[in-house]
Amino acid sequence: MTRLTWLSHGGWMIETEEHRILLDPFLTDNPAAKIPVQQLPKVDHILISHGHFDHVADAATIAKQHDATIVAIYEIADWFTKTQNVESTVGMNIGGQIELPFGSVKMTPALHSSQLPDGSYGGEPAGFLVTIQGTRIYFACDTALFSDMKIYAENVDVAVLPIGDVFTMGIDDSVAATKLINAKKVLPAHYDTWPPIAQNANEWAARIETETTAEPVVLAVGESIDL
Ligand code: NI
Ligand code: MN
């Protein structure tokens, strides 16, 4: 069993029988989130894509509460160790792949920016290709459309793409990205958190249906899909 749950915004939870992994959890100060940090089930790893507050804000609290390991680009992993007193971190960099107890994690490029909340340099922004129990999941994370996505994520089982526009790609480019990487299933993220990134996910899904070979999967906040 591999279960993927949308926590709202860029936040995801991946669960297997033995592991629970978060990606960019953002629950406090997030008007769209439904679960408070204190009510999260036991987590063992937290993947962080880049340094913006809507991706790092809750990570240290969760890591300490659960003795979880934060996985991020070197500069952000170092920041969590030195300024947030997080005990267990794994630093990596773009293009690198590591084996973790639940599967493998490859750090992919993203076209975005990455300053940490206190102004520290956050390295380069990233996405993740997670291979877990034979399923390949591409989290583009906060990014514009770029053609190298095809190199890193072609034919993935699941692609998670931002659609909110303004700060990331919007609907048009997310349809183009879906075609480019030829994903089997595609899920929208990073929208409807605040008015500037409001989107009609049903319109997006209709376009994925008609313009690509992928299956669109629109989850409500807190909803899951079993992969
Ligand atoms: Ni961002
Ligand atoms: Mn963001």
Side-chain angles (χ1 to χ4, degrees), residues 12 15 39 43 73 80 99 102 104 110 114-115 125-126 135 173 196 199 208-209 215 224-225:
W12 295 87
E15 293 170 282
Q39 282 174 29
V43 166
I73 201 158
F80 274 112
E99 302 303 320
F102 59 84
S104 74
S114 184
Q115 191 179 42
T135 303
D173 285 352
Q199 288 291 13
I208 295 287
E209 287 270 8
E215 176 197 342
S224 305
I225 177 177

Side-chain angles (χ1 to χ4, degrees), residues 9 50 54-55 142 190:
H9 202 57
H50 67 291
D54 54 322
H55 299 259
D142 284 19
H190 213 277

Side-chain angles (χ1 to χ4, degrees), residues 19-22 43-47 68-71 100-102:
H19 297 283
R20 192 170 288 113
I21 303 109
L22 300 182
V43 166
D44 46 72
H45 288 80
I46 306 168
L47 310 183
T69 299
I70 290 184
V71 180
L100 291 168
F102 59 84

Side-chain angles (χ1 to χ4, degrees), residues 49-55 112-113 142 167-168 190:
S49 66
H50 67 291
H52 291 155
F53 77 99
D54 54 322
H55 299 259
H112 193 64
S113 57
D142 284 19
F167 304 109
T168 65
H190 213 277

Side-chain angles (χ1 to χ4, degrees), residues 11-163:
W12 295 87
M13 179 162 68
I14 310 168
E15 293 170 282
T16 66
E17 278 82 1
E18 293 173 346
H19 297 283
R20 192 170 288 113
I21 303 109
L22 300 182
L23 166 68
D24 289 351
F26 175 49
L27 303 171
T28 310
D29 297 329
N30 172 353
K34 296 235 163 106
I35 316 169
V37 161
Q38 292 70 24
Q39 282 174 29
L40 280 171
K42 177 78 179 147
V43 166
D44 46 72
H45 288 80
I46 306 168
L47 310 183
I48 299 294
S49 66
H50 67 291
H52 291 155
F53 77 99
D54 54 322
H55 299 259
V56 302
D58 288 319
T61 305
I62 297 168
K64 288 179 209 171
Q65 188 178 319
H66 298 270
D67 285 322
T69 299
I70 290 184
V71 180
I73 201 158
Y74 175 80
E75 288 80 0
I76 291 178
D78 197 45
W79 181 81
F80 274 112
T81 305
K82 288 180 178 157
T83 77
Q84 307 295 303
N85 304 310
V86 171
E87 278 195 15
S88 178
T89 63
V90 174
M92 59 190 303
N93 214 317
I94 311 289
Q97 179 167 310
I98 56 172
E99 302 303 320
L100 291 168
F102 59 84
S104 74
V105 173
K106 182 168 184 171
M107 183 168 271
T108 62
L111 205 52
H112 193 64
S113 57
S114 184
Q115 191 179 42
L116 286 153
D118 62 3
S120 299
Y121 171 62
E124 295 294 312
F128 291 104
L129 183 66
V130 177
T131 305
I132 186 161
Q133 300 193 133
T135 303
R136 294 167 71 229
I137 311 171
Y138 173 51
F139 294 96
C141 301
D142 284 19
T143 186
L145 172 65
F146 59 98
S147 58
D148 283 1
M149 274 183 183
K150 186 178 172 72
I151 296 172
Y152 291 97
E154 194 167 29
N155 301 325
V156 286
D157 298 297
V158 181
V160 177
L161 302 176
I163 68 165

Side-chain angles (χ1 to χ4, degrees), residues 191-208:
Y191 71 100
D192 279 1
T193 320
W194 303 285
I197 56 171
Q199 288 291 13
N200 186 330
N202 293 328
E203 253 169 49
W204 169 85
R207 287 195 54 189
I208 295 287

Side-chain angles (χ1 to χ4, degrees), residues 178-201:
T178 303
K179 283 187 213 165
L180 185 68
I181 62 182
N182 191 35
K184 294 187 183 75
K185 285 187 168 72
V186 61
L187 284 68
H190 213 277
Y191 71 100
D192 279 1
T193 320
W194 303 285
I197 56 171
Q199 288 291 13
N200 186 330

